[in-house]
Amino acid sequence: MNGPAGPVAASVAASVAISVVICVYTEDRWDDIRAAVDSVRAQSRPALETLLVVDHNPALLERLARAFRETAGVRVLANAGPRGLSAGRNTGIAAARGEVIAFLDDDAVAERDWLARFAGHYADPRVMAVGGRTEPLWASGRRPVWFPEEFDWVVGCTYRGQPAGVARVRNVLGGNASFRRTAFDAAGGFATGIGRDGDKRPLGCEETELCIRLAHTVPEAMLLLDDRAVIHHRVPGVRERFGYFRTRTYAEGLSKALVARSVGAAKGLESERRYATRVLPSGVARGLRDALLARPGGAGRAGAIVAGVLTAAGGYVVGSVRARRAGTAFEAGRIEPAEGDAVTETVKSTGAVVPVGGRRERPGAEGGGGRG
């Protein structure tokens, strides 16, 4: 993937101001949140600011406000929209001051050059989004022997089958991604009603729907994956179990049904067809080969791939039927405050939480429309 090169491009990339948005919702991840913020503050290319967006948890909002009241460059905000990750991200987008907005999961840490890798691509004005590679940090200290790398998206990580190096992609994955601000001006924000809502059923695909909508709105837009922009994502013990694997793949099918109904199956399932017809059969064959060679977990990995496909397909069928009966259950986010809502930030002198003034409103997209 070639883009602008030379001193001018390097100068443009160096001048790009990047805001980092971290959406948080539970005090159970307190240490993870602190580690995520620390990793942003330790970047080789400093962020303009770090925004912590708290999802309808007053106790956590107050605690974070106290913790970061004297930390320069860190702002604590309340989700100004409905409960859920999409609205939290939209709140961060609206409050951010940078011309590029990066997103980091609250249970992940970024490597030192994470933002530098993103910034380098924005010298090309066609680039509207850049995603990176997400490596799992297993709670048990090692990958479960039955867990196939082809399904690492189940735990929010880069999976076998994604392109290596720097490549154009249909969509980036939301927990390790960046977008040019003008992308949201053109296409609106993340769709509410499709993504995660705390610890409820692990739905997804909100970034997939946004990226497809963006490509439709701005046909010349380039969306890139750079596997040198690395973060490490914590995988708790409960997500190492087959029960979670089954629940997550089923939820992915439900989410994909909503996306396909919104943007059409051709676009909504474009990447999934290659994944299902090439990547997964290779994974099954590899697992069976390992089983024949008496390598640990080979049969389990092959079986998990088959089970994951069947469960996701079941979710897709159920989701499609529900969508036909009830209509599309989500809408594209507007990057503007709802009537009466207030975005909040930490006031460094007192630690109090007060409304932010002078917030810019941006046009959203009417209508609307993971695994990436």
Side-chain angles (χ1 to χ4, degrees), residues 60-115:
L60 178 58
L61 180 71
E62 183 178 354
R63 186 179 180 187
L64 286 169
R66 290 197 305 268
F68 290 104
R69 66 187 176 193
E70 296 183 1
T71 303
V74 178
R75 292 195 285 156
V76 180
L77 317 175
N79 180 358
R83 186 182 301 274
L85 180 58
S86 291
R89 286 173 173 165
N90 291 341
T91 296
I93 294 164
R97 298 165 179 151
E99 58 191 288
V100 170
I101 302 166
F103 298 93
L104 179 66
D105 277 344
D106 64 344
D107 52 356
V109 292
E111 290 193 358
R112 180 171 169 77
D113 291 333
W114 177 61
L115 290 180

Side-chain angles (χ1 to χ4, degrees), residues 2 60 62 72 95 128 167 171 175 193 271 310 327 333 341 349 371:
N2 295 320
L60 178 58
E62 183 178 354
M128 286 290 165
N171 64 275
S271 295
L310 294 176
D341 281 341
S349 59
R371 197 199 68 79

Side-chain angles (χ1 to χ4, degrees), residues 270-287:
E270 184 177 38
S271 295
E272 286 71 18
R273 289 192 181 92
R274 176 188 174 279
Y275 173 75
T277 58
R278 298 183 186 179
V279 176
L280 295 185
S282 295
V284 172
R286 190 163 39 251

Side-chain angles (χ1 to χ4, degrees), residues 241-266:
R241 302 171 187 167
F242 184 72
Y244 179 82
F245 180 91
R246 187 177 59 240
T247 299
R248 178 68 184 90
T249 52
Y250 179 76
E252 185 74 1
L254 293 175
S255 300
K256 278 293 190 296
L258 284 175
V259 173
R261 179 171 175 80
S262 171
V263 303

Side-chain angles (χ1 to χ4, degrees), residues 23-352:
C23 294
V24 304
Y25 71 97
T26 176
E27 290 184 86
D28 293 342
R29 292 185 176 180
W30 180 259
D31 291 339
D32 292 335
I33 295 168
R34 296 298 300 261
V37 173
D38 288 345
S39 75
V40 175
R41 289 172 55 78
Q43 289 294 297
S44 62
R45 187 200 186 287
L48 173 66
E49 60 186 347
T50 301
L51 289 82
L52 292 170
V53 183
V54 183
D55 192 19
H56 297 270
N57 185 333
L60 178 58
L61 180 71
E62 183 178 354
R63 186 179 180 187
L64 286 169
R66 290 197 305 268
F68 290 104
R69 66 187 176 193
E70 296 183 1
T71 303
V74 178
R75 292 195 285 156
V76 180
L77 317 175
N79 180 358
R83 186 182 301 274
L85 180 58
S86 291
R89 286 173 173 165
N90 291 341
T91 296
I93 294 164
R97 298 165 179 151
E99 58 191 288
V100 170
I101 302 166
F103 298 93
L104 179 66
D105 277 344
D106 64 344
D107 52 356
V109 292
E111 290 193 358
R112 180 171 169 77
D113 291 333
W114 177 61
L115 290 180
R117 297 300 185 187
F118 284 162
H121 295 290
Y122 288 104
D124 187 335
R126 298 170 299 172
V127 173
M128 286 290 165
V130 185
R133 186 173 87 248
T134 302
E135 297 288 347
L137 291 172
W138 303 96
S140 60
R142 55 184 290 182
R143 172 187 298 275
V145 294
W146 63 269
F147 203 112
E149 292 181 21
E150 291 81 2
F151 276 80
D152 276 6
W153 56 264
V154 165
V155 292
C157 295
T158 299
Y159 55 91
R160 183 190 289 267
Q162 284 189 285
V166 178
R168 293 188 71 163
V169 292
R170 179 194 66 179
N171 64 275
V172 296
L173 301 182
N176 178 9
S178 62
F179 291 83
R180 199 182 292 274
R181 175 181 292 284
T182 53
F184 302 111
D185 293 339
F190 289 92
T192 57
I194 184 174
R196 295 213 176 205
D197 178 0
D199 288 318
K200 295 183 179 179
R201 175 171 284 167
L203 299 170
C205 295
E206 65 274 18
E207 62 268 25
T208 303
E209 189 277 334
L210 170 63
C211 289
I212 293 173
R213 179 162 27 100
L214 173 60
H216 176 75
T217 307
V218 186
E220 67 276 15
M222 293 173 57
L223 285 69
L224 304 179
L225 176 67
D226 185 341
D227 67 2
R228 301 167 301 172
V230 181
I231 70 169
H232 299 269
H233 185 269
R234 189 176 300 280
V235 181
V238 67
R239 297 187 182 184
E240 296 184 10
R241 302 171 187 167
F242 184 72
Y244 179 82
F245 180 91
R246 187 177 59 240
T247 299
R248 178 68 184 90
T249 52
Y250 179 76
E252 185 74 1
L254 293 175
S255 300
K256 278 293 190 296
L258 284 175
V259 173
R261 179 171 175 80
S262 171
V263 303
K267 287 291 185 183
L269 301 177
E270 184 177 38
S271 295
E272 286 71 18
R273 289 192 181 92
R274 176 188 174 279
Y275 173 75
T277 58
R278 298 183 186 179
V279 176
L280 295 185
S282 295
V284 172
R286 190 163 39 251
L288 294 176
R289 180 199 63 197
D290 288 348
L292 290 174
L293 296 174
R295 293 171 179 167
R301 290 190 294 275
I305 290 174
V306 173
V309 170
L310 294 176
T311 306
Y316 182 83
V317 171
V318 171
S320 297
V321 171
R322 290 178 179 173
R324 282 197 299 269
R325 289 178 177 175
T328 302
F330 67 93
E331 60 181 356
R334 283 186 174 277
I335 309 302
E336 60 185 16
E339 188 67 28
D341 281 341
V343 178
T344 59
E345 71 176 347
T346 303
V347 178
K348 299 194 187 312
S349 59
T350 64

